[in-house]
Amino acid sequence: MRTSVYMEELDAFSYREAIAGGHRPVIIPVGSIEQHGPHLPLNVDVLLSRAVSGEVAGQVRGIVAPPITYGYKSQQRSGGGNHLAGTTSLDGGTLIEIARTLVHEFARHGVSRLVFLNGHFENYQFLYEGVDLALRDLERAGAAVPTVMLLSYWDFVDEPTIEALYPEGFPGWDVEHGGVLETSLMLHLHPHLVDMAAASDDPPAVLPPYDVLPVKADRTPPSGCLSPAGAATAEKGRILLDAVREAMVPALTAELGLAVPAPAGTR
Ligand SMILES: [Zn+2]
């Protein structure tokens, strides 16, 4: 039997054996193809949601499904805006249908615990809607209804970690686009994909508390980043990843009724 936490690395027989009984959670990373400034690649949200999924899956005996690579449209106040070339997005209805279809597919496999682990701010409500519609479909059909968790990984960074990593003040997760969080995690996990010499150190973007369409392109800083990345380090990335994993594992364990993982060092 082939073993891996990543579903696509398993052959179909090993996958079926791994999910037999339906108890192991399947985690679907959800990303985007979105500009992240001059220092980061377009697939940051895919890479980070997949890496966090892998970390967590390793502790809860989970299986990481292939990621949803594209995400909902970048918004000017949280991702620079969808007018920027490179950013390649789905209409909301498309993302809803992808989420709905994947719930149906994993339910058909017999999976009873499913997690959408989001790495792109704008995706969340569309994933929620897709899951809600799928569960309604399954209920109406009298089929087994899985438990589905939705989460965005940055919501698991605790206050003491935020205070330690943002001594100058925390700008907010919405403008943490191409900033310290994502850049530090990338420096820790995929350093060869980060060009710190190109990173913008512009101060956090100041945007009005509303949207206007068509977007006024000059409101997005030229770098495309909404907060500075200069203070990012690989060590901060390690601290962030540890904080996220340590908070996410107990949440999944409790909500999905999983066996409590063995303490570190005894696995
Ligand atoms: Zn991002």
Side-chain angles (χ1 to χ4, degrees), residues 79-209:
N82 213 61
H83 57 291
L84 297 165
T87 297
T88 313
S89 307
L90 303 173
D91 288 345
T94 308
L95 184 54
I96 290 170
E97 285 305 315
I98 290 173
R100 184 182 193 170
T101 301
L102 289 178
V103 173
H104 280 296
E105 282 297 272
F106 286 104
R108 177 175 67 78
H109 297 177
V111 171
S112 66
R113 298 167 167 97
L114 203 53
V115 180
F116 284 86
L117 195 152
N118 181 37
H120 172 63
F121 195 82
E122 290 84 341
N123 284 340
Y124 196 89
Q125 296 303 333
F126 299 96
L127 299 172
Y128 190 106
E129 176 68 358
V131 170
D132 186 65
L133 293 178
L135 296 201
R136 193 174 70 185
D137 298 338
L138 291 166
E139 235 170 67
R140 284 186 180 165
V145 175
T147 301
V148 185
M149 257 179 106
L150 292 115
L151 46 93
S152 296
Y153 71 80
W154 49 84
D155 286 331
F156 290 79
V157 182
D158 56 21
E159 282 301 324
T161 306
I162 290 175
E163 279 164 29
L165 297 195
Y166 296 87
E168 329 271 78
F170 177 57
W173 292 134
D174 49 346
V175 293
E176 244 296 355
H177 180 73
V180 169
L181 169 86
E182 291 182 322
T183 307
S184 296
L185 284 168
M186 286 295 288
L187 284 169
H188 174 52
L189 292 162
H190 302 285
H192 64 292
L193 295 174
V194 185
D195 179 4
M196 280 310 281
S200 157
D201 233 350
D202 296 342
V206 182
L207 292 159

Side-chain angles (χ1 to χ4, degrees), residues 2-16 18-19 26-29 46-47 49-51 53-54 57 62-69 106 109:
R2 211 175 287 169
T3 58
S4 170
V5 294
Y6 292 105
M7 177 185 172
E8 67 267 35
E9 293 174 3
L10 299 173
D11 63 85
F13 292 86
S14 301
Y15 169 70
R16 287 174 206 151
I19 61 160
V26 170
I27 305 173
I28 306 173
V46 181
L47 293 175
S49 58
R50 187 170 187 267
S53 297
I63 297 164
V64 181
I68 302 176
T69 302
F106 286 104
H109 297 177

Side-chain angles (χ1 to χ4, degrees), residues 32 34 36 44-45 119-120 177-178 182:
S32 71
E34 184 184 30
H36 276 76
V44 164
D45 297 349
H120 172 63
H177 180 73
E182 291 182 322

